[in-house]
mmCIF file of all heavy atoms in Angstrom:
data_model
loop_
_atom_site.group_PDB
_atom_site.id
_atom_site.type_symbol
_atom_site.label_atom_id
_atom_site.label_comp_id
_atom_site.label_asym_id
_atom_site.label_seq_id
_atom_site.Cartn_x
_atom_site.Cartn_y
_atom_site.Cartn_z
ATOM 1 N N GLU K 286 95.982 95.438 90.826
ATOM 2 C CA GLU K 286 95.345 96.111 91.954
ATOM 3 C C GLU K 286 95.591 95.345 93.252
ATOM 4 O O GLU K 286 95.863 95.947 94.294
ATOM 5 C CB GLU K 286 93.842 96.258 91.720
ATOM 6 C CG GLU K 286 93.134 96.997 92.854
ATOM 7 C CD GLU K 286 91.655 97.223 92.603
ATOM 8 O OE1 GLU K 286 91.181 96.951 91.482
ATOM 9 O OE2 GLU K 286 90.973 97.691 93.540
ATOM 10 N N ILE K 287 95.514 94.041 93.187
ATOM 11 C CA ILE K 287 95.807 93.227 94.371
ATOM 12 C C ILE K 287 97.228 93.496 94.851
ATOM 13 O O ILE K 287 97.476 93.681 96.058
ATOM 14 C CB ILE K 287 95.628 91.730 94.068
ATOM 15 C CG1 ILE K 287 94.170 91.406 93.694
ATOM 16 C CG2 ILE K 287 96.081 90.885 95.266
ATOM 17 C CD1 ILE K 287 93.177 91.599 94.813
ATOM 18 N N ASN K 288 98.164 93.554 93.918
ATOM 19 C CA ASN K 288 99.556 93.801 94.289
ATOM 20 C C ASN K 288 99.748 95.180 94.901
ATOM 21 O O ASN K 288 100.562 95.349 95.827
ATOM 22 C CB ASN K 288 100.458 93.644 93.059
ATOM 23 C CG ASN K 288 100.563 92.199 92.592
ATOM 24 O OD1 ASN K 288 100.383 91.271 93.382
ATOM 25 N ND2 ASN K 288 100.844 92.001 91.321
ATOM 26 N N ARG K 289 98.985 96.168 94.435
ATOM 27 C CA ARG K 289 99.088 97.526 95.009
ATOM 28 C C ARG K 289 98.575 97.530 96.451
ATOM 29 O O ARG K 289 99.168 98.169 97.324
ATOM 30 C CB ARG K 289 98.303 98.539 94.165
ATOM 31 C CG ARG K 289 98.961 98.893 92.846
ATOM 32 C CD ARG K 289 98.401 100.176 92.264
ATOM 33 N NE ARG K 289 96.962 100.099 92.024
ATOM 34 C CZ ARG K 289 96.416 99.629 90.915
ATOM 35 N NH1 ARG K 289 97.189 99.171 89.934
ATOM 36 N NH2 ARG K 289 95.101 99.609 90.758
ATOM 37 N N ILE K 290 97.468 96.831 96.693
ATOM 38 C CA ILE K 290 96.928 96.757 98.055
ATOM 39 C C ILE K 290 97.924 96.054 98.984
ATOM 40 O O ILE K 290 98.191 96.509 100.097
ATOM 41 C CB ILE K 290 95.576 96.013 98.059
ATOM 42 C CG1 ILE K 290 94.525 96.821 97.291
ATOM 43 C CG2 ILE K 290 95.105 95.753 99.491
ATOM 44 C CD1 ILE K 290 93.208 96.091 97.086
ATOM 45 N N VAL K 291 98.480 94.961 98.505
ATOM 46 C CA VAL K 291 99.457 94.220 99.305
ATOM 47 C C VAL K 291 100.681 95.084 99.587
ATOM 48 O O VAL K 291 101.193 95.123 100.714
ATOM 49 C CB VAL K 291 99.870 92.919 98.584
ATOM 50 C CG1 VAL K 291 101.070 92.263 99.280
ATOM 51 C CG2 VAL K 291 98.698 91.940 98.547
ATOM 52 N N GLY K 292 101.161 95.805 98.583
ATOM 53 C CA GLY K 292 102.320 96.680 98.780
ATOM 54 C C GLY K 292 102.043 97.777 99.787
ATOM 55 O O GLY K 292 102.900 98.099 100.626
ATOM 56 N N TRP K 293 100.834 98.353 99.740
ATOM 57 C CA TRP K 293 100.462 99.407 100.693
ATOM 58 C C TRP K 293 100.421 98.828 102.103
ATOM 59 O O TRP K 293 100.928 99.435 103.043
ATOM 60 C CB TRP K 293 99.107 99.981 100.308
ATOM 61 C CG TRP K 293 98.654 101.121 101.167
ATOM 62 C CD1 TRP K 293 98.888 102.449 100.953
ATOM 63 C CD2 TRP K 293 97.885 101.045 102.384
ATOM 64 N NE1 TRP K 293 98.311 103.203 101.949
ATOM 65 C CE2 TRP K 293 97.690 102.373 102.846
ATOM 66 C CE3 TRP K 293 97.343 100.000 103.119
ATOM 67 C CZ2 TRP K 293 96.987 102.655 104.004
ATOM 68 C CZ3 TRP K 293 96.639 100.296 104.279
ATOM 69 C CH2 TRP K 293 96.470 101.605 104.710
ATOM 70 N N LEU K 294 99.842 97.650 102.254
ATOM 71 C CA LEU K 294 99.761 97.032 103.579
ATOM 72 C C LEU K 294 101.150 96.675 104.108
ATOM 73 O O LEU K 294 101.426 96.835 105.300
ATOM 74 C CB LEU K 294 98.883 95.784 103.514
ATOM 75 C CG LEU K 294 97.373 96.043 103.484
ATOM 76 C CD1 LEU K 294 96.613 94.762 103.130
ATOM 77 C CD2 LEU K 294 96.876 96.597 104.808
ATOM 78 N N ASN K 295 102.015 96.194 103.235
ATOM 79 C CA ASN K 295 103.387 95.904 103.661
ATOM 80 C C ASN K 295 104.050 97.145 104.241
ATOM 81 O O ASN K 295 104.665 97.106 105.312
ATOM 82 C CB ASN K 295 104.215 95.398 102.474
ATOM 83 C CG ASN K 295 103.878 93.966 102.093
ATOM 84 O OD1 ASN K 295 103.327 93.206 102.883
ATOM 85 N ND2 ASN K 295 104.239 93.583 100.877
ATOM 86 N N THR K 296 103.906 98.263 103.528
ATOM 87 C CA THR K 296 104.540 99.508 103.957
ATOM 88 C C THR K 296 103.932 100.029 105.251
ATOM 89 O O THR K 296 104.646 100.406 106.187
ATOM 90 C CB THR K 296 104.409 100.583 102.856
ATOM 91 O OG1 THR K 296 105.052 100.114 101.667
ATOM 92 C CG2 THR K 296 105.038 101.898 103.291
ATOM 93 N N GLU K 297 102.598 100.057 105.324
ATOM 94 C CA GLU K 297 101.924 100.589 106.504
ATOM 95 C C GLU K 297 102.212 99.753 107.749
ATOM 96 O O GLU K 297 102.491 100.305 108.824
ATOM 97 C CB GLU K 297 100.412 100.649 106.263
ATOM 98 C CG GLU K 297 99.989 101.623 105.171
ATOM 99 C CD GLU K 297 100.271 103.063 105.558
ATOM 100 O OE1 GLU K 297 99.723 103.537 106.565
ATOM 101 O OE2 GLU K 297 101.053 103.707 104.842
ATOM 102 N N CYS K 298 102.140 98.445 107.609
ATOM 103 C CA CYS K 298 102.365 97.582 108.774
ATOM 104 C C CYS K 298 103.801 97.701 109.268
ATOM 105 O O CYS K 298 104.049 97.722 110.487
ATOM 106 C CB CYS K 298 102.041 96.133 108.424
ATOM 107 S SG CYS K 298 100.263 95.828 108.173
ATOM 108 N N ALA K 299 104.758 97.792 108.351
ATOM 109 C CA ALA K 299 106.156 97.951 108.751
ATOM 110 C C ALA K 299 106.364 99.291 109.455
ATOM 111 O O ALA K 299 107.089 99.375 110.462
ATOM 112 C CB ALA K 299 107.059 97.843 107.525
ATOM 113 N N THR K 300 105.710 100.339 108.954
ATOM 114 C CA THR K 300 105.845 101.666 109.563
ATOM 115 C C THR K 300 105.223 101.687 110.949
ATOM 116 O O THR K 300 105.773 102.272 111.887
ATOM 117 C CB THR K 300 105.182 102.730 108.668
ATOM 118 O OG1 THR K 300 105.750 102.677 107.365
ATOM 119 C CG2 THR K 300 105.373 104.122 109.253
ATOM 120 N N LEU K 301 104.067 101.038 111.094
ATOM 121 C CA LEU K 301 103.401 100.986 112.392
ATOM 122 C C LEU K 301 104.237 100.221 113.413
ATOM 123 O O LEU K 301 104.291 100.588 114.590
ATOM 124 C CB LEU K 301 102.018 100.350 112.238
ATOM 125 C CG LEU K 301 100.978 101.224 111.532
ATOM 126 C CD1 LEU K 301 99.791 100.391 111.074
ATOM 127 C CD2 LEU K 301 100.518 102.361 112.426
ATOM 128 N N GLN K 302 104.910 99.193 112.976
ATOM 129 C CA GLN K 302 105.801 98.472 113.882
ATOM 130 C C GLN K 302 106.985 99.344 114.296
ATOM 131 O O GLN K 302 107.406 99.329 115.448
ATOM 132 C CB GLN K 302 106.280 97.185 113.226
ATOM 133 C CG GLN K 302 105.217 96.089 113.217
ATOM 134 C CD GLN K 302 105.762 94.762 112.716
ATOM 135 O OE1 GLN K 302 106.020 94.591 111.536
ATOM 136 N NE2 GLN K 302 105.924 93.831 113.624
ATOM 137 N N ALA K 303 107.480 100.118 113.344
ATOM 138 C CA ALA K 303 108.586 101.018 113.660
ATOM 139 C C ALA K 303 108.166 102.103 114.644
ATOM 140 O O ALA K 303 108.997 102.647 115.383
ATOM 141 C CB ALA K 303 109.120 101.658 112.369
ATOM 142 N N MET K 304 106.863 102.396 114.686
ATOM 143 C CA MET K 304 106.353 103.413 115.604
ATOM 144 C C MET K 304 106.172 102.867 117.018
ATOM 145 O O MET K 304 105.890 103.628 117.938
ATOM 146 C CB MET K 304 105.006 103.941 115.095
ATOM 147 C CG MET K 304 105.120 104.757 113.811
ATOM 148 S SD MET K 304 103.482 105.122 113.102
ATOM 149 C CE MET K 304 102.723 106.005 114.449
ATOM 150 N N GLY K 305 106.291 101.551 117.194
ATOM 151 C CA GLY K 305 106.209 101.010 118.548
ATOM 152 C C GLY K 305 105.271 99.839 118.738
ATOM 153 O O GLY K 305 105.237 99.242 119.823
ATOM 154 N N PHE K 306 104.487 99.486 117.707
ATOM 155 C CA PHE K 306 103.614 98.318 117.835
ATOM 156 C C PHE K 306 104.443 97.057 117.632
ATOM 157 O O PHE K 306 105.106 96.885 116.611
ATOM 158 C CB PHE K 306 102.472 98.377 116.821
ATOM 159 C CG PHE K 306 101.424 99.407 117.150
ATOM 160 C CD1 PHE K 306 101.413 100.632 116.502
ATOM 161 C CD2 PHE K 306 100.476 99.158 118.119
ATOM 162 C CE1 PHE K 306 100.454 101.586 116.817
ATOM 163 C CE2 PHE K 306 99.512 100.103 118.445
ATOM 164 C CZ PHE K 306 99.508 101.328 117.788
ATOM 165 N N ASP K 307 104.401 96.169 118.615
ATOM 166 C CA ASP K 307 105.180 94.929 118.532
ATOM 167 C C ASP K 307 104.604 93.971 117.499
ATOM 168 O O ASP K 307 105.337 93.236 116.845
ATOM 169 C CB ASP K 307 105.219 94.260 119.907
ATOM 170 C CG ASP K 307 105.843 95.160 120.954
ATOM 171 O OD1 ASP K 307 107.066 95.378 120.891
ATOM 172 O OD2 ASP K 307 105.105 95.662 121.825
ATOM 173 N N GLU K 308 103.277 93.980 117.389
ATOM 174 C CA GLU K 308 102.607 93.085 116.443
ATOM 175 C C GLU K 308 101.488 93.864 115.747
ATOM 176 O O GLU K 308 100.717 94.568 116.398
ATOM 177 C CB GLU K 308 102.018 91.875 117.167
ATOM 178 C CG GLU K 308 103.039 91.042 117.933
ATOM 179 C CD GLU K 308 102.376 90.087 118.908
ATOM 180 O OE1 GLU K 308 101.334 89.495 118.534
ATOM 181 O OE2 GLU K 308 102.878 89.941 120.039
ATOM 182 N N VAL K 309 101.425 93.729 114.434
ATOM 183 C CA VAL K 309 100.366 94.360 113.642
ATOM 184 C C VAL K 309 99.685 93.279 112.819
ATOM 185 O O VAL K 309 100.350 92.516 112.105
ATOM 186 C CB VAL K 309 100.921 95.459 112.709
ATOM 187 C CG1 VAL K 309 99.786 96.066 111.872
ATOM 188 C CG2 VAL K 309 101.635 96.537 113.519
ATOM 189 N N TYR K 310 98.368 93.192 112.942
ATOM 190 C CA TYR K 310 97.592 92.193 112.211
ATOM 191 C C TYR K 310 96.552 92.892 111.336
ATOM 192 O O TYR K 310 96.028 93.955 111.692
ATOM 193 C CB TYR K 310 96.871 91.256 113.181
ATOM 194 C CG TYR K 310 97.787 90.438 114.055
ATOM 195 C CD1 TYR K 310 98.256 90.954 115.268
ATOM 196 C CD2 TYR K 310 98.179 89.153 113.681
ATOM 197 C CE1 TYR K 310 99.102 90.209 116.084
ATOM 198 C CE2 TYR K 310 99.027 88.397 114.496
ATOM 199 C CZ TYR K 310 99.486 88.931 115.689
ATOM 200 O OH TYR K 310 100.314 88.196 116.486
ATOM 201 N N VAL K 311 96.248 92.263 110.209
ATOM 202 C CA VAL K 311 95.204 92.744 109.312
ATOM 203 C C VAL K 311 94.098 91.696 109.284
ATOM 204 O O VAL K 311 94.375 90.491 109.203
ATOM 205 C CB VAL K 311 95.750 92.974 107.887
ATOM 206 C CG1 VAL K 311 94.637 93.485 106.970
ATOM 207 C CG2 VAL K 311 96.921 93.955 107.910
ATOM 208 N N SER K 312 92.854 92.152 109.368
ATOM 209 C CA SER K 312 91.731 91.216 109.379
ATOM 210 C C SER K 312 90.617 91.720 108.474
ATOM 211 O O SER K 312 90.102 92.823 108.658
ATOM 212 C CB SER K 312 91.199 91.028 110.802
ATOM 213 O OG SER K 312 90.210 90.024 110.834
ATOM 214 N N PHE K 313 90.262 90.908 107.480
ATOM 215 C CA PHE K 313 89.189 91.248 106.553
ATOM 216 C C PHE K 313 87.936 90.459 106.930
ATOM 217 O O PHE K 313 87.982 89.227 107.030
ATOM 218 C CB PHE K 313 89.585 90.900 105.115
ATOM 219 C CG PHE K 313 90.911 91.453 104.688
ATOM 220 C CD1 PHE K 313 91.975 90.611 104.408
ATOM 221 C CD2 PHE K 313 91.108 92.817 104.565
ATOM 222 C CE1 PHE K 313 93.199 91.111 104.005
ATOM 223 C CE2 PHE K 313 92.329 93.335 104.166
ATOM 224 C CZ PHE K 313 93.384 92.476 103.892
ATOM 225 N N ILE K 314 86.816 91.151 107.106
ATOM 226 C CA ILE K 314 85.538 90.486 107.399
ATOM 227 C C ILE K 314 84.770 90.344 106.086
ATOM 228 O O ILE K 314 84.462 91.343 105.441
ATOM 229 C CB ILE K 314 84.700 91.284 108.409
ATOM 230 C CG1 ILE K 314 85.541 91.672 109.629
ATOM 231 C CG2 ILE K 314 83.472 90.482 108.807
ATOM 232 C CD1 ILE K 314 86.143 90.513 110.374
ATOM 233 N N PRO K 315 84.459 89.132 105.654
ATOM 234 C CA PRO K 315 83.826 88.934 104.344
ATOM 235 C C PRO K 315 82.457 89.598 104.241
ATOM 236 O O PRO K 315 81.724 89.716 105.235
ATOM 237 C CB PRO K 315 83.688 87.408 104.246
ATOM 238 C CG PRO K 315 84.593 86.848 105.284
ATOM 239 C CD PRO K 315 84.680 87.868 106.379
ATOM 240 N N ASN K 316 82.107 90.007 103.038
ATOM 241 C CA ASN K 316 80.723 90.358 102.747
ATOM 242 C C ASN K 316 79.878 89.092 102.904
ATOM 243 O O ASN K 316 80.326 87.990 102.559
ATOM 244 C CB ASN K 316 80.573 90.853 101.307
ATOM 245 C CG ASN K 316 81.377 92.112 101.021
ATOM 246 O OD1 ASN K 316 81.611 92.935 101.904
ATOM 247 N ND2 ASN K 316 81.800 92.256 99.784
ATOM 248 N N SER K 317 78.657 89.238 103.380
ATOM 249 C CA SER K 317 77.794 88.055 103.460
ATOM 250 C C SER K 317 77.545 87.471 102.077
ATOM 251 O O SER K 317 77.393 86.257 101.915
ATOM 252 C CB SER K 317 76.467 88.410 104.138
ATOM 253 O OG SER K 317 75.762 89.382 103.392
ATOM 254 N N SER K 318 77.552 88.328 101.050
ATOM 255 C CA SER K 318 77.340 87.852 99.675
ATOM 256 C C SER K 318 78.482 86.948 99.215
ATOM 257 O O SER K 318 78.278 86.066 98.372
ATOM 258 C CB SER K 318 77.183 89.034 98.718
ATOM 259 O OG SER K 318 78.305 89.893 98.779
ATOM 260 N N SER K 319 79.683 87.151 99.760
ATOM 261 C CA SER K 319 80.822 86.301 99.391
ATOM 262 C C SER K 319 80.615 84.865 99.844
ATOM 263 O O SER K 319 81.169 83.926 99.262
ATOM 264 C CB SER K 319 82.113 86.838 100.019
ATOM 265 O OG SER K 319 82.379 88.150 99.597
ATOM 266 N N LEU K 320 79.797 84.687 100.869
ATOM 267 C CA LEU K 320 79.572 83.358 101.439
ATOM 268 C C LEU K 320 78.273 82.713 100.980
ATOM 269 O O LEU K 320 78.203 81.496 100.804
ATOM 270 C CB LEU K 320 79.567 83.454 102.970
ATOM 271 C CG LEU K 320 80.867 83.932 103.623
ATOM 272 C CD1 LEU K 320 80.610 84.316 105.075
ATOM 273 C CD2 LEU K 320 81.939 82.865 103.540
ATOM 274 N N TYR K 321 77.235 83.517 100.792
ATOM 275 C CA TYR K 321 75.908 82.950 100.623
ATOM 276 C C TYR K 321 75.211 83.276 99.298
ATOM 277 O O TYR K 321 74.274 82.576 98.924
ATOM 278 C CB TYR K 321 74.997 83.425 101.762
ATOM 279 C CG TYR K 321 75.544 83.123 103.140
ATOM 280 C CD1 TYR K 321 75.871 84.144 104.023
ATOM 281 C CD2 TYR K 321 75.735 81.809 103.571
ATOM 282 C CE1 TYR K 321 76.371 83.873 105.292
ATOM 283 C CE2 TYR K 321 76.230 81.525 104.837
ATOM 284 C CZ TYR K 321 76.549 82.563 105.690
ATOM 285 O OH TYR K 321 77.046 82.302 106.935
ATOM 286 N N LYS K 322 75.645 84.297 98.601
ATOM 287 C CA LYS K 322 74.939 84.724 97.392
ATOM 288 C C LYS K 322 75.326 83.865 96.190
ATOM 289 O O LYS K 322 76.511 83.667 95.911
ATOM 290 C CB LYS K 322 75.266 86.193 97.093
ATOM 291 C CG LYS K 322 74.563 86.760 95.860
ATOM 292 C CD LYS K 322 73.072 86.904 96.058
ATOM 293 C CE LYS K 322 72.408 87.583 94.865
ATOM 294 N NZ LYS K 322 70.947 87.700 95.024
ATOM 295 N N LYS K 323 74.320 83.363 95.482
ATOM 296 C CA LYS K 323 74.549 82.588 94.270
ATOM 297 C C LYS K 323 74.232 83.463 93.054
ATOM 298 O O LYS K 323 73.116 83.953 92.912
ATOM 299 C CB LYS K 323 73.663 81.335 94.242
ATOM 300 C CG LYS K 323 73.812 80.434 95.477
ATOM 301 C CD LYS K 323 75.224 79.903 95.626
ATOM 302 C CE LYS K 323 75.338 78.989 96.837
ATOM 303 N NZ LYS K 323 76.728 78.526 97.065
ATOM 304 N N THR K 324 75.228 83.680 92.213
ATOM 305 C CA THR K 324 75.030 84.496 91.010
ATOM 306 C C THR K 324 75.711 83.811 89.832
ATOM 307 O O THR K 324 76.426 82.817 89.985
ATOM 308 C CB THR K 324 75.643 85.908 91.172
ATOM 309 O OG1 THR K 324 77.064 85.823 91.079
ATOM 310 C CG2 THR K 324 75.270 86.527 92.506
ATOM 311 N N SER K 325 75.493 84.382 88.662
ATOM 312 C CA SER K 325 76.160 83.855 87.462
ATOM 313 C C SER K 325 77.588 84.370 87.353
ATOM 314 O O SER K 325 78.334 83.969 86.462
ATOM 315 C CB SER K 325 75.366 84.262 86.210
ATOM 316 O OG SER K 325 75.214 85.676 86.147
ATOM 317 N N PHE K 326 77.960 85.276 88.259
ATOM 318 C CA PHE K 326 79.315 85.817 88.268
ATOM 319 C C PHE K 326 80.125 85.133 89.378
ATOM 320 O O PHE K 326 79.628 84.936 90.493
ATOM 321 C CB PHE K 326 79.289 87.323 88.518
ATOM 322 C CG PHE K 326 78.559 88.102 87.471
ATOM 323 C CD1 PHE K 326 77.228 88.470 87.663
ATOM 324 C CD2 PHE K 326 79.185 88.461 86.291
ATOM 325 C CE1 PHE K 326 76.548 89.179 86.702
ATOM 326 C CE2 PHE K 326 78.506 89.169 85.319
ATOM 327 C CZ PHE K 326 77.185 89.539 85.518
ATOM 328 N N PRO K 327 81.364 84.802 89.113
ATOM 329 C CA PRO K 327 82.178 84.137 90.147
ATOM 330 C C PRO K 327 82.634 85.116 91.214
ATOM 331 O O PRO K 327 82.810 86.307 90.949
ATOM 332 C CB PRO K 327 83.370 83.588 89.346
ATOM 333 C CG PRO K 327 83.499 84.532 88.184
ATOM 334 C CD PRO K 327 82.082 84.937 87.839
ATOM 335 N N TYR K 328 82.832 84.601 92.404
ATOM 336 C CA TYR K 328 83.378 85.410 93.497
ATOM 337 C C TYR K 328 84.804 85.820 93.120
ATOM 338 O O TYR K 328 85.594 85.002 92.643
ATOM 339 C CB TYR K 328 83.375 84.590 94.793
ATOM 340 C CG TYR K 328 84.079 85.235 95.967
ATOM 341 C CD1 TYR K 328 83.911 86.590 96.246
ATOM 342 C CD2 TYR K 328 84.910 84.484 96.793
ATOM 343 C CE1 TYR K 328 84.551 87.177 97.327
ATOM 344 C CE2 TYR K 328 85.548 85.062 97.885
ATOM 345 C CZ TYR K 328 85.368 86.417 98.138
ATOM 346 O OH TYR K 328 86.004 87.011 99.200
#
């Protein structure tokens, strides 16, 4: 699944650049639980 997401982003970002964007960036904002929540399950 990670590889599918990466492949989709590769394709989309390349296409967007071909449409005229000089630079395309991707930014993920973490869930607060990823930083602060303590559980028995690993992040």
Side-chain angles (χ1 to χ4, degrees):
E286 182 177 352
I287 297 294
N288 290 335
R289 286 198 301 273
I290 294 173
V291 170
W293 183 91
L294 282 168
N295 285 340
T296 300
E297 295 294 299
C298 290
T300 304
L301 288 164
Q302 284 187 287
M304 292 171 59
F306 287 101
D307 301 289
E308 301 165 40
V309 178
Y310 297 87
V311 180
S312 186
F313 308 114
I314 311 301
N316 298 330
S317 62
S318 57
S319 301
L320 298 166
Y321 305 117
K322 181 69 175 178
K323 305 299 181 184
T324 74
S325 56
F326 298 97
Y328 172 43

